[in-house]
Amino acid sequence: MSKGRSFLYRLTDAAQLHDEAIPHQPLVEIMNDQRVLIENHQGVVEYGTNQIRVNVRFGTVTVCGCDLELARMMKGQLIVAGRIDSVHLHRRQRK
């Protein structure tokens, strides 16, 4: 972890702020069983009606379900809509 990032983590811990206060960190929010918000993403890797995979800084977020679609996609933010069955985080292996 770089000095700058380490400082930000210590600062948020000291101020008792949530991690979302740290810039450029991915945020995944599940809204009932019909929507998933992913902020600070790095692009869609796979798109289908049963599975959507999205790159984030440290890995991939996979949303599984039925009738999935990208309800909204903007730079850095997207919303997956449909019947959500599961959301998985797959971390990249550190080198």
Side-chain angles (χ1 to χ4, degrees):
M1 185 179 304
S2 70
K3 276 187 171 183
R5 292 194 58 68
S6 176
F7 172 74
L8 285 174
Y9 281 105
R10 287 194 317 257
L11 181 63
T12 56
D13 285 344
Q16 296 179 339
L17 298 174
H18 298 286
D19 286 340
E20 69 185 78
I22 300 173
H24 310 295
Q25 287 297 310
L27 172 69
V28 178
E29 223 174 85
I30 301 171
M31 300 172 271
N32 58 50
D33 65 344
Q34 298 176 4
R35 290 184 177 279
V36 175
L37 166 71
I38 303 174
E39 290 187 349
N40 298 316
H41 69 88
Q42 296 179 334
V44 175
V45 179
E46 180 182 341
Y47 183 87
T49 58
N50 296 319
Q51 179 171 294
I52 296 177
R53 289 189 320 128
V54 180
N55 272 340
V56 294
R57 173 175 253 174
F58 46 78
T60 305
V61 174
T62 303
V63 180
C64 298
C66 294
D67 302 320
L68 299 179
E69 65 180 8
L70 291 175
R72 182 185 325 162
M73 184 170 175
M74 302 181 310
K75 182 180 179 187
Q77 182 186 73
L78 61 82
I79 294 177
V80 177
R83 192 189 84 207
I84 309 299
D85 291 330
S86 63
V87 178
H88 301 274
L89 171 65
H90 307 275
R91 288 190 173 272
R92 250 184 234 114
Q93 297 295 325
R94 293 186 181 184
K95 294 179 183 182

